[in-house]
């Protein structure tokens, strides 16, 4: 019988301890180089995750996407004029609607209004796209088009909160904040969540992009294109040593309160991040390294200032995800004389001007991502907060319609050339496979490798999640 005791069951001498644990010292060094201990997003801890929260965290399962570019079409694109053709509108143009009309925003309901634009089929998929988007139409086989989106709110502010946070009320964390909280950033010199301000913050304001009850370091950093993307990005002190002394003094003062308050912890992290951004952001917004062909593809030489504006946002979005920023949202450019995509009148002029501003830049973004191999790991989402009515508001506009609208996704994990869901013959209500905002959020998180039911945060006595108690992954559009 062997009476030898296992090594761990006896007291160790100093020499034995060093010999036994020698391999562990290399592991400790490797952990330091890799960013330390990371917490997985499926953690059930009741306390906020405070350990290196800005670094990348482990997903729940193998993700298809690493990053998201969210192309927000503020105001509500008309589905029957963009991606959901309805021949019956042309046949009954100018007639009274033959269906029950729900209450609309302004209750100024007119006759059936046909689309001013023709539709054509594109790609091997034969996807029908209107004349509004000739460039995006060329990417039809990369798109997973959902024609059966529904929202719970017919008014911009509540619908915007719902689209961005999963709640129609102000104060909840945005989808970008949840993604930042769940997965973190892959670049310690840049935020995990960036909103590119094209000059038009949507109704509801910056609360669409806020952290809500999550720690403050998960909210969006709002940037612009151009020489000054962020206020105070250039140090006031001409000497780096002076700025370093100031930061060291602030850090010393904060150290007395460190660990006592989530707000103070977030403030410390934000100061540190801002310091790193002063060296990384100027390079990010400098396009001189981009080829003329690339700039042309994004529309940076277009005669329309709005196209150049949005093209710069799209190019900057590619550069952000290229550098490891997890979630990037683009807002619409400000255009004098029209109100976003919200055409209650002058539908033809308003939608054409909006479409011209974004069509070529978005197609350029998709093609550029694809040529660089980035589309395989980047999820691109295109959507507004709701759709428009198939009947006129007044003579030549369309009112809000939350009962049916179209959106599309492209890139990592998405089955290109797919058309999912169906509306009625007027494009007014969804008839087949309705997709809710909660379903959209669940699908985005799923493609990022996150189970939307496990990404939770304990607040006010219960666990919250982006999808609340709702949401199903739309599996039919997944590759």
């Amino acid at each position: 019988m062997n009476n030898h005791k296992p090594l761990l069951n006896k007291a160790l001498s100093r020499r034995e301890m060093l010999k036994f644990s020698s391999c562990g010292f290399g592991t400790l060094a490797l952990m330091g180089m890799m960013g330390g201990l990371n917490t997985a997003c499926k953690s059930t801890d009741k306390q906020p995750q405070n350990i290196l929260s800005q670094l990348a965290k482990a997903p729940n399962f193998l993700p298809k996407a690493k990053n998201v570019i969210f192309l927000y079409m503020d105001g509500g694109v008309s589905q029957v004029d963009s991606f959901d053709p309805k021949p019956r509108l042309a046949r009954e143009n100018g007639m009274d609607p033959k269906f029950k009309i729900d209450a609309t925003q302004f209750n100024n309901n007119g006759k059936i209004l046909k689309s001013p634009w023709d539709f054509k089929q594109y790609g091997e998929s034969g996807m029908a796209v209107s004349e509004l988007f000739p460039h995006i139409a060329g990417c039809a086989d990369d798109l997973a088009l959902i024609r059966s989106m529904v929202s719970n709110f017919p008014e911009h502010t509540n619908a915007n909160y719902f689209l961005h946070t999963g709640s129609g009320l102000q104060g909840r964390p945005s989808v970008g904040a949840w993604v930042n909280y769940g997965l973190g950033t892959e670049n310690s010199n840049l935020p995990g969540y960036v909103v590119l301000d094209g000059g038009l913050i949507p109704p509801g304001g910056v609360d669409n992009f806020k952290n809500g009850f999550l720690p403050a370091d998960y909210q969006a950093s709002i940037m612009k294109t151009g020489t000054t993307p962020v206020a105070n990005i250039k140090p006031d002190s001409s000497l780096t040593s002076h700025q370093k002394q100031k930061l060291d003094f602030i850090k010393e003062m904060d150290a007395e309160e460190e660990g006592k308050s989530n707000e103070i912890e977030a403030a410390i992290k934000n100061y540190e991040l801002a310091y790193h951004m002063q060296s990384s952001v100027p390079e990010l917004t400098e396009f001189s390294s981009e080829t003329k062909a690339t700039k042309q593809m994004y529309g940076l030489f277009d005669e329309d200032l709005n196209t150049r504006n949005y093209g710069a946002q799209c190019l900057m979005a590619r550069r952000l995800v290229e550098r490891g920023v997890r979630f990037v949202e683009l807002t619409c450019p400000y255009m004098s004389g029209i109100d976003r995509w919200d055409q209650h009148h002058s539908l033809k002029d308003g939608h054409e001007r909006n479409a011209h501003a974004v069509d070529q830049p978005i197609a350029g973004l998709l093609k550029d991502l694809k040529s660089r191999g980035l589309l395989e790991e980047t999820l691109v989402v295109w959507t507004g907060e709701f759709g428009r009515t198939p009947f006129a508001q007044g003579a030549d506009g369309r009112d809000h319609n939350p009962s049916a609208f179209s959106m599309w996704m492209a890139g990592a994990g998405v089955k290109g050339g797919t058309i999912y869901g169906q509306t009625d013959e007027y494009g007014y209500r969804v008839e087949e496979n309705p997709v809710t905002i909660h379903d959209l959020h669940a699908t985005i998180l799923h493609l990022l490798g996150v189970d939307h039911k496990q990404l939770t945060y304990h607040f006010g006595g219960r666990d919250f999640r982006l999808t609340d108690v709702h949401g199903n992954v739309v599996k039919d559009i997944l590759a």
Side-chain angles (χ1 to χ4, degrees), residues 439-455:
D439 297 336
L440 173 61
H441 289 161
T443 305
I444 291 172
L445 292 178
H446 176 83
L447 288 168
L448 289 165
V450 178
D451 184 340
H452 71 104
K453 296 179 181 179
Q454 295 190 41
L455 180 60

Side-chain angles (χ1 to χ4, degrees), residues 91-106:
R91 295 197 301 269
E92 298 183 13
N93 185 53
M95 298 182 183
D96 290 325
K98 299 177 181 179
F99 48 84
K100 180 181 179 296
I101 296 178
D102 298 331
T104 53
Q105 179 78 9
F106 293 98

Side-chain angles (χ1 to χ4, degrees), residues 371-432:
S371 69
R372 296 169 185 267
L374 290 171
L375 195 59
E376 297 176 0
E377 58 187 37
T378 303
L379 175 66
V380 181
V381 180
W382 183 98
T383 187
E385 67 268 39
F386 43 53
R388 317 299 298 190
T389 57
F391 47 86
Q393 178 182 342
D396 62 350
R398 297 194 192 276
D399 210 334
H400 306 170
N401 178 26
S403 299
F405 63 105
S406 298
M407 61 84 60
W408 54 259
M409 291 188 272
V414 169
K415 190 191 301 180
T418 302
I419 300 174
Y420 183 80
Q422 182 175 307
T423 55
D424 60 28
E425 291 183 282
Y426 297 95
Y428 188 40
R429 296 184 178 90
V430 171
E431 283 191 337
E432 182 182 304

Side-chain angles (χ1 to χ4, degrees), residues 298-311 333-336 338 352-361:
Y298 279 91
L300 297 190
F301 303 127
D302 196 272
E303 294 181 358
D304 187 349
L305 175 62
N306 301 304
T307 303
R308 299 199 300 271
N309 180 340
Y310 201 77
Y334 170 77
M335 288 187 270
S336 177
I338 61 173
E352 281 182 350
R353 289 178 62 187
N354 276 292
H356 186 269
V358 304
D359 180 40
Q360 182 179 347

